Amino acid sequence: MADTSTQSIQVHAPLARVAAVICDFPRYPEWAESIKKVEVLEEYEDGYAAQVGFQIDATVLVDEYTLEYAYADDLSRIEWHLVEPSKTQRSQDGSYDLVENADGSTTVTYTLAVDLAIGMLGMFRRKAEKMIMDTALKELKRRVESLPAT
């Protein structure tokens, strides 16, 4: 059974811009250091990605896997799950919850539950999860805030 971890960060941009970066999967390798290749495998009728294949190399973890995505109508929630087990993961469920603040910024809450196929002591696992989430949120924030306001 996978433990769930949650972290939040404030991004100085409107919800729509944050959601646009999250949903632009083919550009992930431009700003997410450990993601080496992304391919949208299936799309919904509205053009949003339904299944996305990832190749990652996070030094200690190299993997290829496919995630299936679902979206709230207003993009305030983007969630995913692992389609089938990979070399290193039995399961993965995650989400981004986006809340637009009165000052025009967006609070992004990242929730992740991963059941690894490889053994790892609980203390090291929690440290690895924290590092992965910290990095993902900081890279997302940096990418969104570096884009010109539209």
Side-chain angles (χ1 to χ4, degrees), residues 57-74:
D57 184 348
T59 308
V60 297
L61 184 67
V62 177
D63 201 4
E64 292 185 30
Y65 55 90
T66 300
L67 299 178
E68 184 165 54
Y69 284 83
Y71 310 85
D73 289 341
D74 62 358

Side-chain angles (χ1 to χ4, degrees), residues 4-7 22 69-70 76-81 92-98 108-113 133 137:
T4 300
S5 298
T6 302
Q7 288 189 33
I22 292 170
Y69 284 83
S76 63
R77 182 175 177 84
I78 301 164
E79 59 187 30
W80 62 89
H81 70 269
Q92 180 186 144
D93 294 293
S95 64
Y96 284 111
D97 288 292
L98 311 177
V108 180
T109 300
Y110 181 20
T111 302
L112 184 65
M133 296 181 84
L137 285 171

Side-chain angles (χ1 to χ4, degrees), residues 25-45:
F25 296 103
R27 292 193 173 221
Y28 276 33
E30 295 175 13
W31 58 270
E33 188 177 325
S34 66
I35 298 178
K36 302 306 176 193
K37 184 178 178 188
V38 177
E39 182 181 1
V40 175
L41 303 171
E42 289 181 25
E43 290 184 345
Y44 293 110
E45 288 181 16

Side-chain angles (χ1 to χ4, degrees), residues 2-3 20 44 49 77 100 122 126 131-132 143:
D3 291 329
Y44 293 110
R77 182 175 177 84
E100 196 159 57
R126 284 185 293 280
M131 185 181 76
I132 290 166
R143 175 65 171 197

